Amino acid sequence: MTREMIQFLIRAKKATYAGKGAETASCRPGSHDLEYREGDLMYYDTYLGGERFVGEEAVWENGKPVWSMNYAGQVTGTPFSGDFLKEALLRVPEEKPFRGPEEYTDGTYVYRCTVEGDTEWFQGRETICLGEGQIYECFFHGSSIR
């Protein structure tokens, strides 16, 4: 991915789920869908579920898919805070524009994200702990599309 495409991806993530953006019409029964566009670029995030979920983010350029990421996660304890997760996701780093930063803390909530690879081919895992106990996990992977 080019630097410009990565910056678009980051703006899109911040304008949609992490930024509490409005959902668009569902593309499948029961799905939650979010869309962001700039010129010839389009980002689409669609997921199913809530406490246990699966989804996909993708980027198109001139109507052609160029990048995608699949993810699956679950809430594993309480009290889980979706707002805390979104705070972490708003801090998506340019060098690893997949989920959130390597670590983000607010009070006793701790978000961690590990990634292997780059935007061309990657996989990772994110967790949220409250004190010493894990209360959330999500696995993700993706690549550029050729």
Side-chain angles (χ1 to χ4, degrees):
M1 281 180 104
T2 65
R3 186 168 190 267
E4 292 77 20
M5 186 78 68
I6 290 170
Q7 290 172 342
F8 165 78
L9 178 61
I10 290 170
R11 287 190 302 272
K13 287 174 174 278
K14 290 180 176 183
T16 54
Y17 180 78
K20 301 179 182 177
E23 292 186 13
T24 189
S26 294
C27 68
R28 299 166 295 170
S31 69
H32 303 271
D33 296 23
L34 299 109
E35 183 179 319
Y36 180 81
R37 293 176 181 261
E38 284 181 12
D40 295 331
L41 297 172
M42 182 184 81
Y43 165 88
Y44 203 87
D45 181 8
T46 180
Y47 67 96
L48 301 166
E51 287 186 19
R52 185 170 291 159
F53 58 90
V54 296
E56 177 182 51
E57 297 176 28
V59 174
W60 286 259
E61 184 174 24
N62 295 315
K64 179 181 175 188
V66 295
W67 181 87
S68 186
M69 176 179 75
N70 298 104
Y71 55 88
Q74 64 181 336
V75 174
T76 58
T78 58
F80 173 74
S81 170
D83 287 339
F84 172 75
L85 173 59
K86 290 176 182 180
E87 285 175 29
L89 297 178
L90 282 172
R91 290 158 172 78
V92 57
E94 187 170 331
E95 64 278 5
K96 293 183 181 179
F98 312 111
R99 299 290 289 173
E102 286 185 19
E103 187 168 306
Y104 172 68
T105 303
D106 186 3
T108 55
Y109 285 99
V110 179
Y111 169 95
R112 290 187 180 93
C113 184
T114 58
V115 179
E116 293 179 20
D118 58 25
T119 56
E120 296 302 306
W121 186 263
F122 62 91
Q123 61 184 345
R125 178 177 186 243
E126 68 182 359
T127 60
I128 295 176
C129 292
L130 181 59
E132 296 298 314
Q134 180 180 300
I135 60 169
Y136 165 88
E137 68 180 341
C138 178
F139 294 89
F140 56 92
H141 65 267
S143 72
S144 61
I145 299 171
R146 297 183 188 153

